[in-house]
Every structure is written in C-alpha cells, then in structure tokens.
Amino acid sequence: MKEFLFLIRGGEEKYQESSPEEMQKHMEHWQEWMGGLAKNEQLQGGQPLMDEGKTLVEKGAIVIDRPFAEGKDSVGGYLIIKADSLEQATNIAKGCPSFEYGCSVEVREISPMG
C-alpha cells in the first residue's frame, strides 16, 4: 500500500458560527470516520493544526510570523492514510467530515524516500 496525505483546508467561518451541539455532532462524525479508517488499518496519523505559525524564506534568513487561519486556503489539519492508489485515496477522502463545514481536501501521494 502507498501513503497519502490529506490536507484539509478552509471551513473556519462556518465552524465558528456553529453551536456547541453542532460541534459535538461534528466531532462524533470525525470519531466514527477515523475509527473506520483505523479499523481498516488505513489511518497512519493526523492532527488539527494551530492557527499561528512561521514562514521561512531566503534560506531561513527571513522569518515571517503570521496567522494561518485566514482565507479559504488555510490548512486546518492533515491526515496520513494508506491506500492502493490515488483513486482509492480520493474515494476515502470523500467521507471526510470536514465537508460539513465547507472545507476542501487535497489528496497527495507521499513519495517514498530511497
């Protein structure tokens, strides 16, 4: 099996407008979905990301402090999963609960080293 990275982008506006009950239901969807991936031995890892970060440019000579929670392209989290092909990984990503909040999921194969 190959490894794939899911980059989850956007959705902050709708998430911030959600009631505590809606957030709880959303978290339950996440637990169910990720539990299924773990049961199928497809889930390798993943975490939500904090809003603040740094960007290094010019060989690290310039460090820019910035929030990453702004805009539809902000990455809110990631997952690493196993699948046989990009098509299979894409089908798995279609079940991502983040679509409930208007997010997008970028699916990328992780290139093996060596």
Side-chain angles (χ1 to χ4, degrees):
M1 287 194 144
K2 301 174 182 179
E3 287 188 323
F4 293 85
L5 175 70
F6 292 179
L7 289 172
I8 302 164
R9 300 178 188 271
E12 292 83 18
E13 299 86 19
K14 188 171 179 183
Y15 185 78
Q16 292 172 355
E17 296 170 359
S18 298
S19 70
E21 295 80 19
E22 290 170 327
M23 286 187 224
Q24 177 63 35
K25 187 169 183 146
H26 182 66
M27 291 310 298
E28 289 172 5
H29 290 164
W30 268 102
Q31 290 170 348
E32 290 171 12
W33 186 61
M34 289 182 69
L37 293 174
K39 183 178 178 183
N40 292 334
E41 299 181 353
Q42 293 171 306
L43 180 63
Q44 298 298 294
Q47 296 288 332
L49 300 174
M50 301 298 289
D51 294 339
E52 298 298 317
K54 296 184 183 286
T55 299
L56 284 72
V57 294
E58 307 270 338
K59 297 183 182 178
I62 299 173
V63 179
I64 303 166
D65 290 325
R66 61 184 229 188
F68 286 92
E70 299 173 3
K72 293 182 179 182
D73 287 332
S74 66
V75 177
Y78 71 94
L79 292 174
I80 298 175
I81 63 108
K82 283 192 172 185
D84 291 324
S85 65
L86 178 59
E87 291 75 23
Q88 183 185 26
T90 301
N91 283 330
I92 292 168
K94 288 178 181 179
C96 182
S98 285
F99 291 122
E100 298 167 7
Y101 283 88
C103 293
S104 66
V105 178
E106 181 178 342
V107 180
R108 302 278 302 271
E109 183 175 348
I110 298 172
S111 179
M113 297 289 288

